[in-house]
Amino acid sequence: MKRPQTLQLHNHWWCEWTFWVLIALVISAYFINLDRLPFIGEETRRALIAREMVQYDDWIVPRQQGVPRLTKPPLQYWAIALTTNLFDVESRFTVRLTSVLAILLTSIIVYGYARLFLSSNGALAAGLSFATIVDVLHSGRFAQIDALFTCLLSASLLLWHWGYLRQWPCWINWIVAYAFAALATLTKGPQAPVYFMTTVWIYLIYRKDWRCLFSVGHALGVGAFFALLAGWLVPFSTRIGWQAFLALFASEATTRSNVFQSHFLRHLLRFPFEFFLSAFPATLIFPFYCHRNFWRQLEHRRDAALFSLLCIVIAFPTCWLAPGGEARYLMPIYPCLAILVGITVEVLALHCTQWPWLKWMNTNLYRMACGLSCLMGVGLLILTLMGLGEAVGLTSKQENLFNAGGFLLLGWLAWRSAQSATFIPVHFQFCFFLALAYNGIMIPRLEHLCRDMGQEVTQSSLDELTAYELVSLNWVHHRFVYFYPQPIRVLNWPQEWPAVGGYFCFDAEGIPPELPFNWQPIKQIPVDRFKKKGQAKEQVILAKRLPDRISMLEDKHPLEKQPSRKLEVITQSDIK
């Protein structure tokens, strides 16, 4: 089967004004408010491990509190350590910089790939669609693993198909694609080669391109993949052992399997709806691809649509059928979903007159964009003038007025487009609306709800403890350890215990463990992600070891009246 033809468009697509519009939106949507929200989720764990890589000068074994933490490969930790050292400061901006740069690079790849078969407006629609997917707007600005993994895995898929369509030298195409797949593997694990190899192999089998599939260049690409992995895996396995290596790549799947019996059926029913909402509004285009007449209008865009759909179809069951899978785990296929959006927007703009219902939609979508923007603007304006903005978790009066003006401006632009209402300008306005809404409403709301652990630890009056060495029983919650001013060493217990009169800490839910010595709780530090009324579900308990002659029952502390439990022990083999 012959390779599909692409549009012979302007090769210097990075010089087009639409490309720079995309860059401007991504920078304004992600970089401006980058350090506004406190660290949430796993951000402090990622930053803590990256910090300890620099402290221990050990770039092979990820560590938390000096103990090997074998949950994820090290590439994201390397990236965070690089940005913090580059700016010579460890802040929210430098820790998160890797993620937003990954989102920017992914948007650029989507635009450049789309220019093979779409006009500049269609490519802009694809790039804007990826950058304004709800889950990308949220997860893409945090120091989570998803943004970097999405960039590397989508680069391996889209750059391979890019080179295949443009008929690059076979060996260059395979080596570049497998190199990005290897970097994605070093970011999250074996999910990357499974997605890449399955998609590309099925695509080539469908096209019956046996020469490309069984070429020497393909073998060179596989060799490059294993060579890059070996650069880290060999020294890692030599120091830690092959069992630890297998545990590293199996840890996530093992954790998810624990929820199989009680939650799997509910997960099967709920996951498609979660994916629809997480990938909104890009998921709105799926009904079009179920229409036979729509496929007839794709023309030279058909092959790219098939490849993108294949990526989605292969990835979706891996999270849908996996116990504990979450919709955000499908973020690596969002660039392929954005490609489908760009194709849909351009095809509908060109052929909407052939379907009466689509023609009606095309001429009335601007009204929805106008009404939605004006409604948001007027609502913000009313809340601000009534003095209720800060009460509902929004920003200051000046920022609320600025955001309200932005929404009203978008509404005016939507109304101005009524003379030439098409899918393309309305899609642009909707993407700008989503970016402005998230930055102007969601981020202030999250800032109001999220717990700032930096302030919590600072205001906890821990000056007495910082004069002594604080040790922990097992790992302590990373949000506390990251902000505590001194390193917290993990005890190798039961062989080692806190010294008499010394301070120690542990994770608990208000329940003390069974310990063979007398101790007294000093303080409870909540480490929940969000501020909540009442007792926190996650907390760190700071305690002091008492002399053995003092009875625990004499202290009458409320914590000690509750039932006890045993902590899991970190064995000597874990601390190397």
Side-chain angles (χ1 to χ4, degrees):
M1 186 181 294
K2 295 177 63 177
R3 297 194 183 188
Q5 295 182 352
T6 59
L7 287 177
Q8 298 299 320
L9 296 176
H10 182 45
N11 289 328
H12 301 292
W13 47 266
W14 54 87
C15 298
E16 298 169 343
W17 69 271
T18 49
F19 171 76
W20 291 105
V21 168
L22 174 64
I23 298 298
L25 177 115
V26 174
I27 291 177
S28 60
Y30 290 89
F31 285 78
I32 294 178
N33 281 322
L34 186 57
D35 59 349
R36 182 165 182 171
L37 292 176
F39 284 126
I40 63 175
E42 293 289 308
E43 286 190 288
T44 44
R45 188 194 303 280
R46 311 296 180 205
L48 181 62
I49 295 177
R51 176 198 294 173
E52 295 195 18
M53 279 188 165
V54 177
Q55 290 176 347
Y56 288 94
D57 195 20
D58 184 358
W59 302 89
I60 303 299
V61 181
R63 298 175 182 272
Q64 181 177 333
Q65 294 180 251
V67 179
R69 186 79 182 189
L70 309 180
T71 54
K72 289 290 187 296
L75 186 62
Q76 189 192 27
Y77 308 137
W78 294 344
I80 294 176
L82 177 63
T83 55
T84 53
N85 285 346
L86 183 64
F87 288 89
D88 198 25
V89 62
E90 188 175 317
S91 64
R92 297 174 186 173
F93 183 90
T94 56
V95 169
R96 292 168 174 166
L97 183 60
T98 299
S99 295
V100 294
L101 286 176
I103 296 298
L104 177 61
L105 181 58
T106 308
S107 302
I108 293 174
I109 293 174
V110 168
Y111 182 93
Y113 171 76
R115 282 296 277 127
L116 295 173
F117 44 85
L118 294 178
S119 66
S120 59
N121 286 332
L124 176 59
L128 289 179
S129 178
F130 169 74
T132 54
I133 290 176
V134 170
D135 204 16
V136 177
L137 277 171
H138 179 71
S139 301
R141 69 183 63 251
F142 299 123
Q144 307 281 19
I145 208 167
D146 303 291
L148 183 59
F149 184 64
T150 297
C151 177
L152 296 173
L153 181 53
S154 61
S156 67
L157 289 166
L158 296 183
L159 289 180
W160 179 86
H161 198 233
W162 190 337
Y164 183 79
L165 294 177
R166 296 302 296 266
Q167 300 183 6
W168 293 350
C170 184
W171 64 276
I172 293 179
N173 194 25
W174 282 114
I175 289 177
V176 169
Y178 269 108
F180 277 102
L183 294 176
T185 306
L186 288 174
T187 303
K188 194 171 184 180
Q191 182 182 357
V194 170
Y195 282 9
F196 173 75
M197 296 177 67
T198 305
T199 302
V200 170
W201 286 36
I202 292 178
Y203 173 80
L204 290 176
I205 292 172
Y206 165 76
R207 297 200 57 80
K208 299 180 181 179
D209 195 344
W210 311 110
R211 179 178 297 180
C212 182
L213 181 59
F214 299 106
S215 64
V216 176
H218 191 178
L220 292 175
V222 174
F225 174 83
F226 284 107
L228 282 173
L229 284 184
W232 172 70
L233 286 180
V234 171
F236 174 80
S237 302
T238 301
R239 293 178 53 182
I240 300 297
W242 287 101
Q243 291 183 348
F245 157 69
L246 296 176
L248 173 68
F249 287 99
S251 61
E252 192 171 356
T254 302
T255 302
R256 295 179 195 171
S257 64
N258 293 334
V259 298
F260 180 88
Q261 294 181 350
S262 59
H263 301 293
F264 183 59
L265 181 58
R266 183 174 62 184
H267 167 74
L268 283 179
L269 298 176
R270 188 176 59 186
F271 184 82
F273 299 98
E274 293 178 350
F275 172 70
F276 178 84
L277 295 176
S278 297
F280 183 86
T283 44
L284 294 175
I285 52 93
F286 281 137
F288 292 105
Y289 287 89
C290 299
H291 201 286
R292 182 181 304 177
N293 291 335
F294 181 81
W295 279 95
R296 293 173 180 172
Q297 306 296 338
L298 291 182
E299 301 173 350
H300 57 274
R301 311 170 189 90
R302 181 188 300 271
D303 190 77
L306 285 172
F307 183 78
S308 299
L309 280 174
L310 181 61
C311 296
I312 297 172
V313 169
I314 289 174
F316 188 82
T318 62
C319 296
W320 184 31
L321 303 180
E326 298 181 15
R328 66 182 179 87
Y329 297 155
L330 289 175
M331 190 170 165
I333 65 170
Y334 288 173
C336 300
L337 187 58
I339 295 296
L340 295 178
V341 173
I343 295 174
T344 304
V345 169
E346 183 160 297
V347 170
L348 294 182
L350 294 175
H351 303 284
C352 63
T353 56
Q354 299 181 12
W355 300 311
W357 64 272
L358 202 56
K359 182 180 179 180
W360 177 87
M361 181 183 295
N362 185 46
T363 56
N364 287 276
L365 272 178
Y366 77 93
R367 297 178 181 175
M368 181 183 71
C370 176
L372 191 60
S373 297
C374 291
L375 181 63
M376 297 293 291
V378 172
L380 270 179
L381 191 61
I382 292 175
L383 287 175
T384 303
L385 294 179
M386 294 180 63
L388 300 177
E390 297 183 16
V392 296
L394 300 180
T395 52
S396 63
K397 182 176 181 180
Q398 293 77 11
E399 293 179 344
N400 288 337
L401 290 175
F402 177 81
N403 292 326
F407 284 118
L408 293 175
L409 177 61
L410 278 179
W412 178 79
L413 292 175
W415 176 77
R416 291 283 297 176
S417 67
Q419 299 295 329
S420 58
T422 63
F423 282 99
I424 290 179
V426 171
H427 180 266
F428 294 167
Q429 293 158 6
F430 190 58
C431 289
F432 277 99
F433 168 81
L434 290 174
L436 185 59
Y438 190 88
N439 279 272
I441 297 178
M442 285 302 300
I443 286 183
R445 182 60 179 166
L446 287 173
E447 184 183 23
H448 181 73
L449 295 176
C450 291
R451 186 184 301 278
D452 190 345
M453 281 304 302
Q455 293 184 0
E456 295 273 355
V457 174
T458 302
Q459 298 172 0
S460 295
S461 302
L462 302 179
D463 295 339
E464 178 186 356
L465 275 68
T466 55
Y468 300 88
E469 181 191 26
L470 180 65
V471 296
S472 67
L473 311 178
N474 293 343
W475 285 297
V476 183
H477 201 290
H478 49 88
R479 293 194 194 107
F480 173 74
V481 178
Y482 180 80
F483 290 105
Y484 190 75
Q486 303 292 336
I488 302 177
R489 182 172 60 90
V490 179
L491 290 178
N492 181 27
W493 71 288
Q495 290 80 14
E496 182 184 8
W497 296 104
V500 175
Y503 296 93
F504 64 98
C505 59
F506 58 90
D507 281 344
E509 298 177 359
I511 303 176
E514 294 179 356
L515 296 175
F517 55 82
N518 295 334
W519 60 279
Q520 176 184 2
I522 301 298
K523 188 175 292 291
Q524 298 181 28
I525 307 295
V527 290
D528 285 345
R529 179 179 300 184
F530 298 106
K531 303 173 186 176
K532 300 176 182 177
K533 295 182 179 180
Q535 187 174 12
K537 292 183 178 180
E538 295 180 289
Q539 55 185 337
V540 172
I541 296 181
L542 305 179
K544 182 178 181 179
R545 180 174 177 177
L546 302 175
D548 293 337
R549 66 177 185 274
I550 299 180
S551 172
M552 290 283 293
L553 298 177
E554 296 175 358
D555 210 46
K556 304 295 183 180
H557 194 279
L559 279 177
E560 299 158 16
K561 299 178 181 180
Q562 302 181 15
S564 62
R565 67 176 177 88
K566 293 183 178 180
L567 292 173
E568 297 179 359
V569 179
I570 296 180
T571 63
Q572 181 68 29
S573 61
D574 294 323
I575 306 179
K576 294 187 178 181

